[in-house]
Amino acid sequence: MKALKISMLVLGIIIVLGYLLPERISMPVKGATSADWNQDTFWYEPWGSSGVHKGIDIFGHQGVDVVSAVDGLVVFSGTIAKGGQVVVILGPKWRIHYYAHLDSRKTSMFEPVTSGETIGKLGDSGNAKGKPPHLHYSILRMIPAPWAMDSSTQGYKKAFYLDPGAFLLGQ
Ligand SMILES: [Zn+2]
């Protein structure tokens, strides 16, 4: 019983610390500006088999550095069907940062990364094949925010998906 209480306490401290970590935010495509993505494409529909677009696409030249937007831990680095070469980073506030369509990955699973550190190269892998090279960037909450839900298509998922554009613009 005592061991359980202590482990609950430790877990509690880890959760609070994770939430309190400062969020240093970098533009995830080197040299990109707010002109390199279209703010209206977050939750744009129809969007292929996903229904709505749960992130933003930041365009740039093939092979440009893709960097971590935040300090965090790489929790996945690999290839999946839609996303192609993807890197997933667990960052401050228990938010998951998802980087897709990379040309190549420059990090590996369970590697700690800092904001601005190169994690891959910009590309068109996965279902972006043949399209102009871009980074698909999504931010997901692990702790849902029910007040963010609305009546749009799949609007309940807004409890989980943050608008990365607003995040990058500091809104
Ligand atoms: Zn996208």
Side-chain angles (χ1 to χ4, degrees):
M1 199 58 201
K2 199 172 176 195
L4 179 69
K5 272 187 189 164
I6 291 171
S7 48
M8 290 304 282
L9 183 69
V10 169
L11 186 66
I13 290 169
I14 291 173
I15 289 172
V16 170
L17 282 181
Y19 201 80
L20 293 178
L21 277 176
E23 230 173 3
R24 292 193 297 143
I25 304 154
S26 295
M27 163 64 69
V29 176
K30 206 124 194 201
T33 69
S34 57
D36 295 310
W37 82 79
N38 180 346
Q39 191 53 41
D40 297 336
T41 59
F42 179 69
W43 230 260
Y44 190 85
E45 63 177 321
W47 201 274
S49 57
S50 310
V52 294
H53 190 225
K54 300 178 190 75
I56 57 170
D57 295 330
I58 307 172
F59 292 84
H61 294 291
Q62 180 93 18
V64 146
D65 279 352
V66 170
V67 304
S68 180
V70 290
D71 297 336
L73 182 73
V74 177
V75 290
F76 180 78
S77 173
T79 306
I80 59 170
K82 267 199 230 176
Q85 303 247 33
V86 309
V87 171
V88 181
I89 292 170
L90 174 63
K93 300 192 179 176
W94 299 99
R95 288 172 178 173
I96 300 279
H97 297 254
Y98 174 79
Y99 308 84
H101 308 315
L102 303 176
D103 186 54
S104 59
R105 290 172 284 111
K106 303 291 175 203
T107 189
S108 45
M109 206 109 74
F110 305 124
E111 198 173 301
V113 288
T114 56
S115 173
E117 187 175 328
T118 301
I119 53 170
K121 299 284 182 185
L122 195 79
D124 65 348
S125 61
N127 62 3
K129 201 85 224 153
K131 294 178 185 161
H134 66 274
L135 172 72
H136 174 96
Y137 180 40
S138 285
I139 307 173
L140 271 143
R141 304 176 202 260
M142 278 174 58
I143 304 162
W147 57 87
M149 294 192 280
D150 61 25
S151 57
S152 60
T153 307
Q154 298 183 38
Y156 67 98
K157 288 189 181 170
K158 286 187 178 171
F160 294 97
Y161 285 90
L162 283 143
D163 176 0
F167 192 86
L168 291 175
L169 296 170
Q171 291 169 4

